[in-house]
Amino acid sequence: MADLLVDSGKHRGRRLKLAVGQTLIGRDRECAIRLATSDVSRKHCRLSVAMTGGREVVTAEDLKSRNGTYINGRAIRVPTVMGAGDTLRVGPIQFLLPDPDAASESEVITWLVPPPAPGTVAAEDEPTQIVGGPPPATDSESPAPAPAKPKSAEEPVDRLVQEASALIRARYASRLT
């Protein structure tokens, strides 16, 4: 399954799994990824995932939407193959097609940041209106939280997260030029 990351808005960082075949994005109930905004057409665009040479190939196609579909900031008029690091904009929402062989920013952050203290709510616990992504983890799948670290131990982690984030963004930006 190909991954698609939400790269904007309150759901930034959410990972959606795209099965081989076609996935519709829009406001309509038939769409696997529904975006609740009037800037998105009922059936805005279609993502197609196909296996080619043992790799997943993702193609985006605008379905004559009112506001257009954009890859890397350019409007698409015909089905367009997306590559690792490409962005897809549908209305006000931007998605990122990550490199399947590279660690994502959220994975690096997961490695560097300790889990939230018991009794606190993590950002990923928020409900979402986007459908078609992976099912939420159940309590039996969630790892036990690590003990809270003293404040002085967290400060270097924040710096490491910022540095890792900057490196990942620079890597994706260099692929776009």
Side-chain angles (χ1 to χ4, degrees):
M1 288 188 152
D3 286 343
L4 190 66
L5 297 176
V6 180
D7 198 35
S8 65
K10 70 179 185 177
H11 301 293
R12 186 170 194 260
R14 295 265 178 172
R15 183 178 300 266
L16 306 174
K17 298 286 188 182
L18 301 175
V20 172
Q22 297 184 351
T23 301
L24 289 177
I25 298 177
R27 290 190 339 255
D28 195 89
R29 290 184 187 265
E30 292 179 28
C31 295
I33 301 174
R34 285 185 290 172
L35 304 174
T37 173
S38 61
D39 293 330
V40 174
S41 297
R42 286 185 183 96
K43 293 183 181 172
H44 197 100
C45 71
R46 176 184 9 251
L47 298 179
S48 300
V49 179
M51 292 299 292
T52 304
R55 305 273 291 168
E56 293 168 321
V57 176
V58 179
T59 303
E61 178 183 2
D62 185 68
L63 299 176
K64 299 181 183 174
S65 65
R66 181 175 31 131
N67 292 322
T69 301
Y70 297 80
I71 294 179
N72 299 327
R74 294 182 183 214
I76 60 171
R77 309 256 185 271
V78 296
T80 304
V81 174
M82 295 181 66
D86 283 350
T87 59
L88 171 73
R89 187 166 55 82
V90 178
I93 307 299
Q94 182 165 294
F95 299 93
L96 173 69
L97 186 68
D99 183 344
D101 299 325
S104 70
E105 180 179 346
S106 61
E107 289 169 327
V108 171
I109 289 172
T110 301
W111 298 333
L112 297 175
V113 177
T120 61
V121 176
E124 62 269 8
D125 293 338
E126 290 182 5
T128 180
Q129 292 182 6
I130 298 175
V131 298
T138 62
D139 289 337
S140 63
E141 296 172 353
S142 300
K149 293 185 179 182
K151 182 68 176 165
S152 61
E154 292 176 6
E155 290 173 8
V157 172
D158 291 339
R159 183 182 52 76
L160 290 172
V161 169
Q162 291 171 352
E163 289 175 9
S165 176
L167 287 171
I168 291 167
R169 289 189 186 285
R171 181 170 182 235
Y172 282 128
S174 68
R175 288 184 169 188
L176 300 177
T177 57

